[in-house]
Amino acid sequence: MIEIGLTGGIGSGKSTVAMMLADRGAVVLDSDAVVRELQAPGTAVFGAIVAQWGERVVADDGSLNRGELASIVFDDPAELKLLNAIVHPAHAIEMERRRSAYEGTDTILVFDIPLLVEVGRGGFDGVIVVDLDPEQAVLRLVADRGLDEADARRRMANQASREERLEKADFVLNNGGTEADLSAEVGRCWEWIGSLGDR
């Protein structure tokens, strides 16, 4: 089994790269998707979040109101620490449970972790950083996700810097060009991942 960490700043195209790696045969463990599953109504994590912040974080349909929760924790380190204490232990257990299913196989397992640099997760055979000029990322967030520029910049400021991510990279995947350029970069990356199995 080859274990790869995949990360990149908001707007970098990391999710697109993850899909392209999956198309080539990788198994992708999406950290954010696992968190969403853990926060679904009826789960222990959902119950603990509602117990901590009350009905204001419950949407009309009974699901977690992510926007409201984000507004509580985004600029408040103490509140974010409380949320992380609820989510992180359950998340670590679930990610390990999914990882262990591939133990002893020749699977290429890609851990899609937006905050890989921030949380300091290690133990990978290699770390891929999807890199994009921050100004280009802002333009994409505004055009593709409909964020206003100030919000996009605020979100980026709350993440690791481009330099901090690149420092952790074993492979830098440039996403500053066209879709065809990205496909070529992913092909180059896939060859690099394959070479890790020869070590």
Side-chain angles (χ1 to χ4, degrees), residues 2-68:
I2 299 175
E3 297 180 71
I4 300 294
L6 172 67
T7 195
I10 185 170
S12 66
K14 176 185 57 60
S15 298
T16 302
V17 169
M19 286 190 295
M20 293 170 92
L21 290 172
D23 287 344
R24 283 166 168 77
V27 172
V28 177
L29 294 185
D30 183 332
S31 177
D32 278 355
V34 170
V35 169
R36 286 192 292 273
E37 288 176 33
L38 291 170
Q39 293 177 341
T43 62
V45 169
F46 179 85
I49 289 172
V50 175
Q52 178 66 47
W53 288 286
E55 291 299 317
R56 64 185 285 203
V57 297
V58 181
D60 291 342
D61 64 359
S63 65
L64 186 66
N65 185 331
R66 295 179 193 285
E68 182 63 29

Side-chain angles (χ1 to χ4, degrees), residues 63-82:
S63 65
L64 186 66
N65 185 331
R66 295 179 193 285
E68 182 63 29
L69 183 60
S71 72
I72 294 169
V73 305
F74 198 77
D75 290 317
D76 190 327
E79 296 282 26
L80 181 59
K81 191 173 179 182
L82 286 172

Side-chain angles (χ1 to χ4, degrees), residues 133-150:
D133 178 88
E135 291 305 311
Q136 203 173 347
V138 169
L139 292 175
R140 288 185 183 178
L141 287 167
V142 172
D144 301 341
R145 294 203 207 172
L147 296 182
D148 67 61
E149 186 178 331

